[in-house]
Amino acid sequence: MEEEDLARTKPKRKIKLQQVLASNGDAPSLDLSYSYIGDAEMISIAEFVNQKCNLHTLHLGGNKITDVGLQQFVENISPHPTLHTLYLGHNELTASGMDCLLDFLHRCPAIHTLSLVGNDLGAEGIVVLCAAITTSHSLKHLYLSSTDLNDEGVLALSVALMTNDTLNVLHLGENEIGPVGAEFIGQALQVNSGITSLYMNGNQLGADGVCRLSEGLASNLMLTQLNLNDCEIDDGGLRYLLDNLSDNRSIHAIHLSGNESITDLGASMLLEFVKSQLVIEEVSLRSTGAKDLTILKQLDLELRRNKERKAVDSHISRPVDATTQFSSDEDDEEDNADDDESSLYEGDCDLKAESSIESDASYDELGSDPGLDDPDSEDVEGYPERDSYTTNS
């Protein structure tokens, strides 16, 4: 499920704000997401946050907060020592609200996670936000998917990334980024030494865009996870990507689901790449044109071998009491047996082949679980399950 779909499917709830705030007590997280919160409630929320010195996470996503409400919140918030996570995704914020968001980041310098997904910020809003990216020493996770970023906003962002080494995870999905914007990001990654996970899913990169992006990855030593789902990549674009990553030893996960023009030829290229790049542990190919089970099985096997090598290397590198060595190995084998559905189909990663393999029998043959989602289908806003006490029926 894409981030935009999340906004449509997340159930909204009508709440009695003061009752919810009172019942939250000293909990370290306050979840007011998808609760019909508007501008009128923002002063009360700010006053509550001021009283809770141990609060570290505030969920305000999926509401009706505008720039006016954000300004009221910021004007009434006091410097907070522990608040480190703020979710504002899927509200009604625009570029006009970004100046007061900068004020908030200055008042709450511990913020390391900020989500603005689904707000109509545009390039103008991103330019303002880049001031925080340039100067922040704490921001580590930034979610900017579906913010109408486009190539102009990407240019400003790439310049900011060249002077930032603290940001680790960057989501730029569904932003109409084309080959030009991809080149800007690639240039930034040649210099940036902080980004470890980059999500470019749902942009119109094509073969040209992925080539320009991957040129910047050739010398990057930090990026470990690259999400290029639904980026209009074909076998030619995939070849460019793999060629430019041939000397890269940091990336261990490449997600390519939804690129329907990647065929069995592309899967074969991936297979040879995984054999030569022993650090690659995760590949996703769901909803592509790769359908040859022989190739997919072999790719599955090679990914498992790479994971096993890493596990062995990690086990050897850490000191272990000789008296417990045998039992530890047994435990590891039991854990591996539990996980043996396949390194391809666990959690976030590996060779996802749901719609590229047509029948249930094919799932059984490959050992996959057709119910698993792609890595970018996680609720990146991080909203917890609804607590029953917050519902006002």
Side-chain angles (χ1 to χ4, degrees):
M1 185 184 299
E2 299 294 339
E3 294 162 6
E4 296 73 21
D5 296 330
L6 173 65
R8 291 191 288 269
T9 59
K10 204 78 173 181
K12 287 185 178 289
R13 51 177 182 165
K14 291 184 179 180
I15 65 170
K16 294 179 180 178
L17 181 61
Q18 295 304 325
Q19 179 181 343
V20 172
L21 296 180
S23 61
N24 201 71
D26 291 325
S29 177
L30 174 61
D31 176 25
L32 295 173
S33 57
Y34 293 87
S35 301
Y36 294 96
I37 297 292
D39 295 340
E41 290 81 19
M42 295 304 290
I43 293 178
S44 295
I45 294 172
E47 291 173 346
F48 176 83
V49 172
N50 290 339
Q51 298 169 10
K52 304 298 178 181
C53 294
N54 67 325
L55 190 73
H56 60 61
T57 300
L58 180 59
H59 297 268
L60 293 173
N63 287 299
K64 298 181 178 296
I65 303 167
T66 71
D67 298 331
V68 173
L70 180 60
Q71 182 175 355
Q72 291 174 341
F73 175 77
V74 173
E75 288 177 350
N76 288 277
I77 198 79
S78 300
H80 202 286
T82 62
L83 188 65
H84 60 58
T85 300
L86 177 63
Y87 297 108
L88 285 169
H90 302 295
N91 276 287
E92 299 174 11
L93 304 178
T94 70
S96 300
M98 293 302 98
D99 282 321
C100 64
L101 184 60
L102 292 186
D103 291 340
F104 169 79
L105 294 175
H106 289 142
R107 295 188 191 192
C108 301
I111 292 289
H112 63 59
T113 299
L114 176 64
S115 174
L116 295 167
V117 172
N119 288 291
D120 189 17
L121 306 183
E124 181 183 354
I126 299 302
V127 169
V128 176
L129 189 61
C130 283
I133 297 173
T134 302
T135 59
S136 174
H137 298 292
S138 60
L139 194 61
K140 296 182 180 298
H141 300 80
L142 182 60
Y143 298 92
L144 294 176
S145 297
S146 303
T147 53
D148 196 22
L149 186 58
N150 67 48
D151 291 339
E152 182 183 352
V154 170
L155 174 58
L157 180 61
S158 64
V159 172
L161 290 175
M162 290 181 182
T163 58
N164 177 289
D165 59 1
T166 59
L167 195 64
N168 299 141
V169 179
L170 181 61
H171 283 250
L172 298 176
E174 303 288 347
N175 270 307
E176 299 183 1
I177 299 172
V180 174
E183 183 174 2
F184 291 149
I185 294 297
Q187 291 171 349
L189 291 176
Q190 287 180 323
V191 179
N192 181 275
S193 60
I195 300 292
T196 58
S197 296
L198 176 64
Y199 289 75
M200 295 287 289
N201 50 291
N203 288 298
Q204 292 76 50
L205 303 189
D208 185 22
V210 77
C211 178
R212 298 189 193 193
L213 174 67
S214 61
E215 286 176 357
L217 300 178
S219 58
N220 184 284
L221 301 178
M222 294 301 297
L223 195 70
T224 61
Q225 182 164 225
L226 178 63
N227 190 312
L228 296 174
N229 290 349
D230 299 295
C231 284
E232 302 178 4
I233 301 170
D234 58 13
D235 291 337
L238 180 57
R239 185 183 298 277
Y240 283 129
L241 175 65
L242 300 183
D243 286 347
N244 282 313
L245 292 179
S246 59
D247 295 325
N248 186 294
R249 293 296 183 270
S250 64
I251 290 183
H252 67 70
I254 305 174
H255 303 295
L256 297 162
S257 293
N259 291 292
E260 298 177 353
S261 296
I262 294 179
T263 68
D264 291 330
L265 174 60
S268 296
M269 291 188 291
L270 269 169
L271 174 58
E272 295 307 312
F273 180 74
V274 170
K275 285 181 179 179
S276 63
Q277 298 287 85
L278 303 183
V279 295
I280 301 295
E281 302 172 19
E282 305 173 10
V283 172
S284 65
L285 283 174
R286 178 180 298 198
S287 301
T288 67
K291 302 181 185 297
D292 189 318
L293 286 179
T294 301
I295 299 173
L296 296 176
K297 284 182 180 180
Q298 188 61 36
L299 185 52
D300 177 27
L301 178 62
E302 294 300 329
L303 290 168
R304 288 198 215 183
R305 287 174 174 168
N306 286 354
K307 279 194 170 184
E308 289 168 358
R309 288 188 189 99
K310 181 178 179 180
V312 169
D313 290 344
S314 299
H315 190 72
I316 291 174
S317 64
R318 69 173 185 262
V320 180
D321 188 336
T323 60
T324 61
Q325 178 72 52
F326 182 76
S327 62
S328 296
D329 288 345
E330 278 190 336
D331 291 340
D332 287 346
E333 288 177 6
E334 289 177 3
D335 290 342
N336 289 338
D338 291 338
D339 294 337
D340 201 38
E341 273 287 298
S342 165
S343 65
L344 293 176
Y345 312 103
E346 281 296 317
D348 291 339
C349 61
D350 306 347
L351 178 61
K352 304 295 176 75
E354 178 176 341
S355 57
S356 66
I357 304 173
E358 302 288 339
S359 68
D360 291 338
S362 298
Y363 292 122
D364 294 337
E365 187 172 356
L366 274 175
S368 65
D369 180 355
L372 292 175
D373 291 324
D374 273 339
D376 63 334
S377 69
E378 293 179 6
D379 181 352
V380 297
E381 294 269 276
Y383 300 119
E385 293 297 323
R386 302 284 177 242
D387 296 323
S388 58
Y389 70 82
T390 61
T391 303
N392 179 22
S393 55

